[in-house]
Amino acid sequence: MYVIAVYDVRAERTGKLLKLCRRYLTWIQNSVFEGEISPVRLKELKIEAKKLMVDEDSLIIFSSREPRWLQKDVIGHERNSTDNFF
């Protein structure tokens, strides 16, 4: 499955969530990640993220069965190219 994940957390938890998400996905911009991930690994990511987060934090995950069903337009500098969208 292909996912795009974005998070919004307080500054003191940003580094921890950044490191966690980078273990599972490709970091493409501040607080934004994308990549191919198995359902089991996605569940692991969600469980670990919940342990780091408090009520005011959020992690939003958009998923698709195939990356080819998404279109990605980058305006400006792309932090890490994944070359999965055309």
Side-chain angles (χ1 to χ4, degrees):
M1 126 183 355
Y2 197 84
V3 302
I4 297 171
V6 296
Y7 65 78
D8 185 13
V9 298
R10 288 213 181 240
E12 59 267 14
R13 288 181 295 283
T14 300
K16 291 179 181 179
L17 209 52
L18 171 68
K19 289 178 185 177
L20 172 66
C21 290
R22 288 180 79 173
R23 287 196 336 239
Y24 292 89
L25 301 166
T26 302
W27 184 34
I28 60 169
Q29 192 164 6
N30 293 345
S31 304
V32 182
F33 302 82
E34 69 179 347
E36 199 67 44
I37 190 169
S38 72
V40 171
R41 299 233 339 128
L42 180 57
K43 188 172 184 176
E44 290 173 3
L45 170 59
K46 290 177 182 180
I47 290 169
E48 291 185 48
K50 284 180 184 179
K51 292 176 185 176
L52 298 174
M53 297 167 58
V54 298
D55 289 339
E56 62 199 35
D57 296 338
S58 65
L59 172 65
I60 301 170
I61 299 171
F62 302 92
S63 62
S64 173
R65 289 187 186 110
E66 296 284 334
R68 66 181 174 178
W69 299 115
L70 301 171
Q71 179 177 338
K72 176 179 162 183
D73 295 322
V74 178
I75 312 303
H77 176 72
E78 185 173 20
R79 181 181 304 269
N80 289 318
S81 175
T82 57
D83 292 327
N84 289 333
F85 293 117
F86 299 99

